[in-house]
DNA sequence: TTGTAAGCGTTATCAT
DNA sequence: ATGATAACGCTTACAA
């Protein structure tokens, strides 16, 4: 690999002139510029960015620390970050911690978790990234990031407890208001819930949205219509019987897997989803559109979360300020209305 | 951010001594080492890797160029690369070209495609990566990589036409032999095929496996039992009728979506999959296990492809040789036997 | 055991 | 318009 020095020598000019040509500074005659460009092409010279970065003391790169890339939400978030960064020519330095693979789904309770994050954060700073985006595998409080971190940092798909580290999250509450509102508009007034895990922030926010939607619809909130499951198909299957006992006309499942399980059970019982009963899911996973009937569900704004996270970091980098009041950005979901919701004619 | 110079000054030693401590060279008395370590800790000194890399002229990093991270195969491949690289402490520099997003699924026929790849390849070399792994979104001939590329390069999930650039691909043929063999063992002798696109390398290899399996099972190869579709659910739905007309007892669908569509149609017609007829898919997509009945399918070894690609590159880097004969590594698939295949009792 | 100094490949300042 | 040179933060002979 030739260096700038060799180009200079071959062209019989100084390195300064070559550098000027490469960086499109003026102060170079047309002839020398063209000669230099030609030689650069011939020798296939590639500037050494490592040297350049050292000299200029910036890398124009953003570190992205992902808990586990194989979790469904993360690639789309990274894609959004990439799109935003491309616009301003920032580079991404992606680190995939493989936490699920290493510690299964309780990784954030593992002792080594904090150590790994700190090590990777340190490494990223060693590499002179200018900002950092931490991507969680599901929304929860992310408090592993040191308070005194030296460079702008944001958390995507997770909350932080300080506004200096902004967080970009799903607007679960409003999305749920919309989804339940849709059921109410279709005449449903007795709406059961098969929730996710009780302590999940997603569960909490969606439950709040559920309550508010009922309130707006003048429907009494009935605690007994809520079951807590484990985000899986089996939970949906199991709790459907309880829903039926309570006599609900619609089931709000907090993800598409739960909804799929509910449909399985209803199908077994000969109850037609989208005709005899309404079922809605959440997340808009790939399988949601393949269920029979296709599920009405709420699409997660993963790409937009990434895009916003990139935007926030670039803002912090360039304006040296955090544009949000409280450091939390709620991103809108996209509803998918499909055939799993029936209309109930209201008798007057 | 303090530099090594400031640490040296604070400790009243030379930078050389600090450097020796950081890099665990000997030649330092216990006292000075501990003093230095303490100061490093206090001042939260982080070595500047950019400077280090410039000086040592290596970055211990591998560039990974992904066609589009949001395509289902790619995250797992990256995960495999990550796992392999972690073992030898190589860093990954990931570039997500977002080709699907930019040009839809005909991106590799687009004029800009080659330009983008060359630009990114150049950038990666600018950043002084020591090797490059190109990840294709689906298997095909990848001939955008310049012949005279200066650093070790491999292609994951795609073929190359020169063995200096090894490729790591799915062993589609043998996987299909195994899958069709499973049908034959279960007594099926009239096995229809709903294939993918006619010119896809996946289609070709799986078709060859199909032929060989029939040959081994002494079954005549009947061209009329093969339909070519478009990898989607609709193709499966549509061509199922033709399969039925031909009187097949089993349908080999070249991916799980096609299989899902076939199941839809069979269900409509009141034909029970896994009882009246056998259906197998391919890829082991998430939805395969949610079909009714769950699909027998062939799992793609995506993680292993990534792992192998990492392995190959690291070999090239360290042994300066390419360990394969012909530059192609075929990776084994993992079969998933589920309830969509019935046994046919053979009358003697 | 510790220090001095050259040099990695650039950019940028200041002369010429 | 062009060149000489210092400096970025580090490693590494080699000297002390």
């Amino acid at each position: 690999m030739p260096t700038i020095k060799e180009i200079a020598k071959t062209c019989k000019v100084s390195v300064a002139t070559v550098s000027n040509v490469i960086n499109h500074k003026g102060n170079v005659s047309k002839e020398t510029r063209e000669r230099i460009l030609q030689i650069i092409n011939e020798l296939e010279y590639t500037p050494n960015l490592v040297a350049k970065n050292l000299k200029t003391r910036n890398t124009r790169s953003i570190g992205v620390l992902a808990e586990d890339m194989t979790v469904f939400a993360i690639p789309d978030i990274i894609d959004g970050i990439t799109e935003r960064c491309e616009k301003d020519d920032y580079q991404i330095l992606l680190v995939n911690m493989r936490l699920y693979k290493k510690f299964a789904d309780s990784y954030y309770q593992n002792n080594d978790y904090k150590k790994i994050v700190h090590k990777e954060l340190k490494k990223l700073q060693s590499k002179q990234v200018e900002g950092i985006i931490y991507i969680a595998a599901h929304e929860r409080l992310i408090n592993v990031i040191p308070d005194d971190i030296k460079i702008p940092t944001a958390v995507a798909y997770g909350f932080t407890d300080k506004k200096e580290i902004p967080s970009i999250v799903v607007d679960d509450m409003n999305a749920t208001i919309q989804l339940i509102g849709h059921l109410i508009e279709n005449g449903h007034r007795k709406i059961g819930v098969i929730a996710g895990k009780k302590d999940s922030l997603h569960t909490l926010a969606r439950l709040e949205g559920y309550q508010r939607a009922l309130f707006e619809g003048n429907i009494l909130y009935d605690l007994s219509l809520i079951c807590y499951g484990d985000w899986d198909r089996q939970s949906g299957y199991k709790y459907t019987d309880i829903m039926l006992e309570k006599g609900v006309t619609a089931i709000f499942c907090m993800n598409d897997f739960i909804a799929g399980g509910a449909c399985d059970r209803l199908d077994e019982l000969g109850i037609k989803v989208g005709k005899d009963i309404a079922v809605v899911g959440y997340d808009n996973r790939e399988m949601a559109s393949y269920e029979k009937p296709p599920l009405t569900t709420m699409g997660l704004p993963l790409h937009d979360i990434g895009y916003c996270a990139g935007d926030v970091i670039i803002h912090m980098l360039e304006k040296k300020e955090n544009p949000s009041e409280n450091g939390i950005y709620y991103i809108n979901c996209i509803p998918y209305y499909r055939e799993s919701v029936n209309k109930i004619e209201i008798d007057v």
Side-chain angles (χ1 to χ4, degrees), chain A:
Chain A
M1 287 268 221
T3 69
I4 198 172
K5 234 181 251 178
E6 299 170 51
I7 302 295
K9 199 194 274 179
T10 323
C11 293
K12 298 193 208 315
V13 293
S14 73
V15 291
T17 305
V18 178
S19 175
N20 283 335
V21 169
I22 293 168
N23 298 292
H24 310 103
K25 317 260 174 193
N27 303 331
V28 184
S29 76
K30 204 181 162 199
E31 297 81 51
T32 47
R33 187 180 58 237
E34 281 173 1
R35 187 156 42 96
I36 290 171
L37 252 18
Q38 158 123 28
I39 298 293
I40 283 180
N41 240 300
E42 271 174 32
L43 303 191
E44 298 187 58
Y45 165 69
T46 320
N48 183 326
L49 263 186
V50 172
K52 176 175 180 157
N53 288 343
L54 174 60
K55 177 61 193 174
T56 60
R57 266 107 80 66
N58 65 42
T59 57
R60 227 182 159 72
S61 70
I62 290 170
V64 173
L65 193 52
E67 292 193 332
D68 193 314
M69 262 200 36
T70 59
V71 172
F72 90 100
I74 292 194
D76 281 320
I77 295 176
I78 298 175
D79 188 67
I81 300 175
T82 311
E83 187 182 6
R84 180 61 188 84
C85 285
E86 253 184 17
K87 291 224 164 103
D88 281 302
D89 200 37
Y90 277 93
Q91 311 299 313
I92 287 180
L93 217 69
L94 178 69
V95 177
N96 174 20
M97 291 189 285
R98 309 188 69 248
L99 260 21
Y100 265 82
K101 302 285 175 113
K102 287 176 186 157
F103 310 116
D105 62 359
S106 60
Y107 58 88
Y108 47 92
Q109 288 149 12
N110 188 292
N111 268 336
D112 291 334
Y113 162 58
K114 217 164 190 160
K115 274 187 222 157
I116 292 181
V117 174
H118 286 175
K119 202 186 74 189
E120 296 300 344
L121 246 24
K122 189 108 184 174
K123 260 199 209 165
L124 245 16
Q125 287 172 276
S126 256
K127 291 178 185 164
Q128 311 303 112
V129 300
E130 299 178 12
I132 291 178
I133 298 173
Y134 182 100
I135 311 180
H138 64 267
E139 286 188 3
R140 53 178 213 286
L141 179 65
I142 303 295
N143 52 12
V144 277
I145 298 169
D147 293 350
D148 59 345
I149 190 149
K150 303 280 189 309
I151 57 178
T153 302
V155 171
Y157 211 42
F159 292 87
T160 63
D161 39 16
K162 36 197 167 290
K163 73 181 181 56
E164 292 71 32
I165 303 180
S167 45
I168 299 91
V169 294
V170 176
D171 190 351
D172 268 322
M173 193 187 69
N174 283 308
T176 307
I177 291 178
Q178 198 176 353
L179 195 56
I180 301 297
H182 174 68
L183 290 173
I184 296 175
E185 279 170 24
N186 278 283
H188 295 276
R189 298 188 61 83
K190 192 147 189 179
I191 302 168
V193 181
I194 308 181
K197 285 198 179 180
K198 206 162 190 169
D199 56 350
S200 151
L201 293 182
H202 290 295
T203 301
L204 261 37
R206 291 171 197 178
L207 225 39
E208 190 178 343
Y210 169 74
Q211 275 192 58
R212 292 201 184 199
L214 292 189
F215 181 80
E216 284 174 22
N218 289 314
I219 298 171
L220 212 62
Y221 175 66
D222 177 357
L223 244 166
S224 78
L225 295 185
I226 298 168
C227 295
Y228 294 89
D230 195 12
W231 298 118
D232 59 2
R233 206 136 175 139
Q234 224 186 318
S235 305
Y237 185 92
K238 191 166 71 180
Y239 292 115
T240 294
D241 288 351
I242 299 181
M243 295 290 126
L244 293 173
E245 278 170 29
K246 301 280 176 188
V248 305
T249 68
I251 308 177
F252 165 41
C253 301
M254 283 203 189
N255 76 12
D256 294 330
F257 294 141
I258 296 175
C263 290
D264 283 350
R265 179 59 180 151
L266 292 164
D267 188 51
E268 255 179 32
L269 297 170
I271 301 171
K272 294 261 176 280
V273 174
K275 246 187 111 185
D276 307 328
I277 195 168
V279 172
V280 298
Y282 208 105
D283 291 353
N284 191 33
R285 297 290 288 262
E286 192 178 57
M287 38 78 54
S289 60
Y290 300 139
E291 285 292 326
K292 282 155 220 148
L295 286 174
T296 286
T297 185
M298 191 51 80
L300 258 21
L302 300 170
H303 177 90
D304 295 352
I305 286 178
Y307 193 94
C308 176
D311 205 54
V312 167
I313 280 288
I314 291 175
H315 257 82
M316 290 168 81
L317 254 28
E318 300 191 342
K319 309 234 173 131
K320 278 131 177 52
E321 63 172 69
N322 177 346
S324 152
E325 280 287 300
N326 58 2
I328 304 187
Y329 298 80
Y330 290 97
I331 311 295
N332 288 147
C333 294
I334 312 101
Y336 291 84
Y337 300 116
R338 295 196 273 239
E339 290 95 85
S340 66
V341 174
N342 55 320
K343 201 178 178 78
I344 293 185
E345 298 308 329
I346 305 160
D347 321 315
V348 198

